[in-house]
Amino acid sequence: MERAAEARRSPGSQGESREEAASRCQPPGVSKWDIRQKIWDYLEASNLADFPRPVHHRIPNFKGAPRACARIPDLQEFQCAKIIKVNPDAPQKNARFLTLEARKTLLVPTPRLRTGLFNQIVPPPGAGKDTLRKCATSQGVRDYSVPIGLDANVHVDLVVVGSVAVSEKGWRIGKGEGFADMEYAMMVSMGAVREDTVVVTAVHDCQVVDIPEELLGDHDMTVDYIFTPTRVIQTGCKRPKPQGILWHKISYKTMEKIPILKSLRCREEKAGKDVTLKEERTDVPAVVKPASRARDARPESARLQNESSVCQRSPGDESRPASSDHLHEVSSLFVGNIPRGTRVSDFKAVLRERQATPVQLTWQGAQHRAFLRYSDKAASDAALAALQGLTLQSCALRVEPAKAQGSKMASGQ
């Protein structure tokens, strides 16, 4: 009983119980932004926030985050999982490390979904705990990641997300940009998750609050487990998770910001699904914008509206999916032996001079390497021929198909 009382009093400051701490964060539920603001303000005012600060407009890092994430491996779904997707935010760093330490495949979403959906974190062969901890940091995610194509046939067994607020019923509120909800919807669209795929989050106790269900939309993701520094909550949530991308809520602007949506939209159009975008709907009244704003938006909207099919794309379209085997695509090249101090802008200039510009460049300068993805195998083969004999700063670069390089890495060469 004494331990239980101590646990209830641990999260808040000045001897507050867990319930008292939560009540300070808990707003009347007017809007999601009210709830976010209350949580952010309380974490800062109570000195429960950790770097980076201030936590406003972020998935907040909190004191005790490593302890909360340390509970996740106790979950049976974690123990049985082969592939785990974890968000790239600071409070989930320990979840990423524990995934790598358990020798499971770790997928991390690309920042703001600009260049794709997933990156796989691939530690060096024989990496010890110190290296794995580095791989789990934001810098490590950049240095040790390799993109995963839409055709990679990935099946995610467990999803770990960050949250600003959650309720014991499983309702979740993010930082307000919708990327976690979009990531999940995109995973549904590409067949990477199933209806029974477990979603968990790690938060401070004070982030567990009552959230009115009427604030939730059909695009909002829910969670099955909540991990805090003091407890594990199984929500028993029965509310359906998003069933895919809700195209009628996607705008032209969003399509431009997240190019991979074009490929997914093409797929779903071919499958006979309704992919009507927000501005293309005829069942809602048109919104008249001021002339200056309309002028700004005209080139973007007109170009998308004038496409005869969402599946039309130019050979250099960034969102075109490539066939993938594990993380090495048949349309990708590996470039190694890149000299120390080479700037990515200089490397891009050389690629342009050789007429070998890829649709996606993954720069791993710290490992003296880069991965180049092309629109198809023919473009990859042409680039491979064009880059033979390439040197930088008197160093001969190694250029070869990424799949072949992957075999060498797997064998420890």
Side-chain angles (χ1 to χ4, degrees):
M1 293 293 289
E2 291 179 359
R3 287 185 178 180
E6 183 180 352
R8 287 196 299 270
R9 291 188 175 275
S10 59
S13 61
Q14 300 178 2
E16 286 180 313
S17 69
R18 181 172 61 233
E19 291 77 11
E20 289 167 342
S23 67
R24 284 182 175 269
C25 291
Q26 184 177 339
V30 176
S31 71
K32 288 182 178 180
W33 276 108
D34 291 331
I35 297 175
R36 292 184 185 104
Q37 195 65 44
K38 286 277 190 178
I39 296 289
W40 288 327
D41 288 348
Y42 181 79
L43 285 168
E44 285 290 347
S46 303
N47 199 30
L48 295 172
D50 216 335
F51 178 84
R53 298 178 69 172
V55 295
H56 295 78
H57 305 286
R58 304 179 190 270
I59 296 297
N61 196 10
F62 57 92
K63 294 179 179 178
R67 192 162 68 253
C69 291
R71 297 172 178 269
I72 297 177
D74 294 335
L75 194 66
Q76 183 179 0
E77 285 81 359
F78 179 96
Q79 297 168 8
C80 297
K82 295 181 179 179
I83 300 178
I84 299 177
K85 175 256 173 187
V86 185
N87 61 298
D89 299 288
Q92 282 71 46
K93 180 175 68 174
N94 198 36
R96 296 191 293 274
F97 163 70
L98 293 168
T99 299
L100 293 173
E101 186 184 41
R103 306 301 173 187
K104 299 178 185 294
T105 298
L106 172 61
L107 302 183
V108 177
T110 59
R112 308 184 78 83
L113 302 176
R114 288 194 184 101
T115 59
L117 179 54
F118 292 134
N119 283 334
Q120 179 175 345
I121 310 306
V122 185
K129 280 192 175 184
D130 289 343
T131 302
L132 294 180
R133 290 188 189 280
K134 181 180 178 182
C135 292
T137 65
S138 57
Q139 183 63 46
V141 167
R142 289 191 291 269
D143 290 344
Y144 296 95
S145 65
V146 179
I148 297 293
L150 290 180
D151 290 341
N153 197 28
V154 170
H155 296 286
V156 177
D157 301 306
L158 179 67
V159 176
V160 182
V161 298
S163 305
V164 174
V166 286
S167 77
E168 293 192 6
K169 294 181 178 180
W171 312 156
R172 173 190 173 275
I173 295 177
K175 61 185 176 183
E177 296 183 339
F179 284 110
D181 299 320
M182 179 65 75
E183 289 161 11
Y184 187 87
M186 291 166 72
M187 286 192 289
V188 173
S189 180
M190 64 185 286
V193 293
R194 305 174 301 274
E195 188 174 347
D196 61 347
T197 301
V198 171
V199 179
V200 309
T201 192
V203 296
H204 192 275
D205 289 87
C206 81
Q207 292 175 258
V208 183
V209 298
D210 287 338
I211 299 174
E213 187 172 5
E214 56 265 26
L215 294 183
L216 302 184
D218 49 5
H219 64 283
D220 284 316
M221 179 174 53
T222 56
V223 299
D224 301 296
Y225 289 89
I226 302 167
F227 295 89
T228 80
T230 67
R231 55 180 176 156
V232 177
I233 304 169
Q234 183 173 4
T235 67
C237 184
K238 301 300 182 184
R239 183 183 177 91
K241 294 182 176 67
Q243 300 300 299
I245 300 172
L246 304 177
W247 295 106
H248 65 278
K249 293 189 175 183
I250 303 294
S251 66
Y252 292 135
K253 186 176 180 180
T254 301
M255 292 287 290
E256 286 300 297
K257 284 183 176 180
I258 308 177
I260 194 175
L261 283 174
K262 299 174 188 176
S263 294
L264 291 171
R265 190 181 181 217
C266 173
R267 285 181 170 204
E268 299 206 351
E269 184 197 43
K270 287 181 176 179
K273 296 183 180 180
D274 182 0
V275 295
T276 304
L277 298 181
K278 186 176 182 179
E279 290 89 344
E280 297 171 346
R281 294 181 62 187
T282 59
D283 59 338
V284 294
V287 177
V288 179
K289 298 181 178 180
S292 60
R293 296 292 297 277
R295 278 197 304 272
D296 293 340
R298 190 176 299 125
E300 174 186 349
S301 300
R303 179 170 60 77
L304 284 167
Q305 284 178 302
N306 289 335
E307 289 181 352
S308 59
S309 168
V310 300
C311 294
Q312 275 189 340
R313 21 189 137 133
S314 62
D317 191 337
E318 287 184 353
S319 63
R320 183 168 186 155
S323 178
S324 177
D325 177 12
H326 189 48
L327 57 88
H328 305 292
E329 301 169 313
V330 297
S331 58
S332 295
L333 299 180
F334 167 84
V335 182
N337 202 33
I338 297 174
R340 183 183 302 275
T342 301
R343 295 185 302 179
V344 67
S345 57
D346 295 336
F347 184 69
K348 289 179 177 179
V350 172
L351 296 178
R352 286 194 297 269
E353 291 171 2
R354 296 269 182 142
Q355 297 184 345
T357 300
V359 296
Q360 181 176 316
L361 166 63
T362 300
W363 179 253
Q364 298 181 354
Q367 283 72 48
H368 312 292
R369 68 191 184 195
F371 290 88
L372 313 178
R373 182 169 69 82
Y374 293 87
S375 56
D376 52 37
K377 190 175 186 302
S380 174
D381 290 344
L384 179 61
L387 295 176
Q388 291 304 309
L390 179 62
T391 62
L392 282 176
Q393 301 177 27
S394 300
C395 292
L397 303 191
R398 251 173 67 214
V399 184
E400 58 193 56
K403 189 172 182 179
Q405 171 63 19
S407 299
K408 293 181 180 180
M409 289 178 66
S411 62
Q413 296 182 11

